[in-house]
Amino acid sequence: MPKPLNVLFITADQWRGECLSARGHMVRTPNLDALAADGVLFTRHYANTAPCGPSRACLHTGLYLQNHRSGTNGTPLDRRHPNWASESLKLGYDPVLFGYTDTSVDPRTVAPGDPRLATYEGVLPGLRPLVHLPEGAPDAWLDWLRAQGAPLDAEGGWSSGRWRAYVDRPVGGAPGSGDDEWGAHRAPTHYPVEWGQTAFLTDRILDYVAGEQAEGRPWFVHASYLRPHPPFFAPEPYNTMYDPTSVPPPVRAASAAEEGATHPLLARMVEHPFLAAPANPRHLQQLRATYFGMQSEVDTQLGRILDWLDVSGAAADTVVVVTSDHGEQLGDHYLLHKLGFFDESFHVPLLVRDPRARFDAMRGSIVDEFTEHVDVMPTILDLLDLAVPSACDGRSLVGLAAPWRDEVHWEYDFREPADRSLERRFGVTMEQCALTVLRDAHGKYVHFSGYPALPPVFFDLDDDPDELHNRAGDPAYAVTVLDYAQRMLAWQGRHRDRTLASMKLTPSGIFEHTAARR
């Protein structure tokens, strides 16, 4: 019997898909570049929704949002859905977590008053958390920082914990402040780089895998890094690694008002104080430069793990998968964070390395086919020779079996069960606060469940790659828009929940149709 594989499944948070030096971007990512050279880089990979919790639900279950229905941070994930961690238990793996998964617990599976019911930052079923670092309370890191002598209880912190004054604010001020022309995002963090959460998590991962390797046990690690998620501050030297004057300016219309004229929802977004990008162009350029520095910091730490795999000999038995939960607007279209329908929020990297000979034909290749987060779970299971549950919407990327898809889809729920302001603003119900995107190489169609109050959007990507001109109401595009709308309807029909629908009970036993789905 061959030795069971180790699996290292890494997610960064909020990492845009083009931000790899292997793709010609200015951000320097030598370690991810090396991984791509020995594996496969998927250049047109897309998250299927945002923000964190819903996107990770797609990533971990292989289901589109329309099927897993965990649409917001805090919407429970139905426990009936299998995931890569629960499936790996069948092979005797002990899948462990370093970081977080933002999985909102199914309230039907826990007792009333369970503390998991008070947070969206729960743990994916099947995973054993060794170092749980939820964003709101990264206690393991904070305890370690206190042991190093960090002043976590200094005055001036936020109401959720005085430790935030040290951890989440830069030297010299609060977010949005700054005395020099580049603003607060140029200032370094209070802590040195070796005290950062990224380095801390890497240290814990290396301790664990070294111990498992020494005992000869195959291991399965999910490493979920917070950065480059905001706040956009980096430790030295990463805060000044990139010159803001050399950073490309954001892609956007001539004004926020002109941008908002594209669609009523976009008009609401660009005026929202939390979502709007800094008005000062120099501050925005520095924010973008700092974001790139944060990515280089993560790449450096990932390099430590990849180097250990090589030096220890574990690389020969370890599958590595790297991606991100979603992207980041980074000032494009006057927005920050992850939301809406623009590519910047949904286009993310995907790298896969398998050490075995069966993977050699793909090694070092760059794949330009459209791939999605729902494909990651089937890919991991396929690499482990596990059956993919028939309910999965995605397909294994091993070999990219033809015919492959020529379009991608994502959904975005902007409902807020605890706040009905958008329902009132647009005159829609909570269920109508949702959109679905069909994007191919030539166009992007966005359909709103609140139609006609919320009309559709169509971008001609051949003539308008920056997505600045909505052609949905242009008579010259009527036939094209209808074609995209019909294709979207067909896609939704193909991907309705089919947990048991592929089975049939017969006198000869249970028959299950297992053909791959497009």
Side-chain angles (χ1 to χ4, degrees), residues 182 185-186 232 244 278 282-292 294 328 330-331 336:
W182 296 110
H185 295 286
R186 190 175 183 83
F232 297 117
R282 287 181 177 267
H283 290 187
L284 178 56
Q285 289 301 97
Q286 180 59 59
L287 182 153
R288 290 163 68 89
T290 301
Y291 173 84
F292 298 151
M294 296 165 72
E328 160 60 47
L330 210 63
L336 293 179

Side-chain angles (χ1 to χ4, degrees), residues 302-337:
L302 295 183
R304 294 176 58 205
I305 300 177
L306 297 174
D307 287 346
W308 178 86
L309 290 175
D310 289 336
V311 171
S312 68
D317 301 302
T318 303
V319 166
V320 182
V321 178
V322 180
T323 189
S324 179
D325 54 351
H326 47 67
E328 160 60 47
Q329 284 299 132
L330 210 63
D332 289 337
H333 302 284
Y334 293 90
L335 296 169
L336 293 179
H337 309 303

Side-chain angles (χ1 to χ4, degrees), residues 323-401:
T323 189
S324 179
D325 54 351
H326 47 67
E328 160 60 47
Q329 284 299 132
L330 210 63
D332 289 337
H333 302 284
Y334 293 90
L335 296 169
L336 293 179
H337 309 303
K338 56 279 183 179
L339 70 170
F341 45 78
F342 291 116
D343 276 24
E344 291 87 350
S345 283
F346 299 91
H347 181 216
V348 295
L350 176 65
L351 302 94
V352 179
R353 184 178 74 183
D354 186 326
R356 293 169 294 182
R358 74 170 190 169
F359 199 72
D360 286 347
M362 298 183 71
R363 198 171 310 283
S365 62
I366 295 177
V367 176
D368 292 325
E369 301 283 353
F370 283 116
T371 59
E372 301 178 339
H373 263 3
V374 293
D375 299 325
V376 173
M377 174 194 173
T379 299
I380 291 174
L381 296 185
D382 189 10
L383 290 170
L384 297 177
D385 295 319
L386 278 167
V388 178
S390 60
C392 277
D393 290 309
R395 299 167 62 192
S396 171
L397 300 175
V398 178
L400 282 183

Side-chain angles (χ1 to χ4, degrees), residues 267-279 334-337 425:
R268 169 58 177 150
M269 289 174 174
V270 298
E271 71 184 22
H272 194 288
F274 177 71
L275 304 177
Y334 293 90
L335 296 169
L336 293 179
H337 309 303
R425 179 178 179 123

Side-chain angles (χ1 to χ4, degrees), residues 445-467:
Y445 175 70
V446 186
H447 188 83
F448 288 81
S449 300
Y451 177 84
L454 294 172
V457 171
F458 181 78
F459 296 118
D460 182 340
L461 298 179
D462 292 326
D463 291 338
D464 179 27
D466 293 335
E467 304 181 26

Side-chain angles (χ1 to χ4, degrees), residues 26 33 112 116 138 142 146 203 208 220 236 241 268 292 303 307 309 333 345 360 380 417 460 481 495:
M26 68 177 294
D33 296 348
R116 287 172 290 181
L142 298 179
R146 287 189 179 93
D203 290 341
Y208 173 77
F220 198 138
E236 294 179 332
M241 176 173 283
R268 169 58 177 150
F292 298 151
D307 287 346
L309 290 175
H333 302 284
S345 283
D360 286 347
I380 291 174
D460 182 340
V481 170
H495 290 281

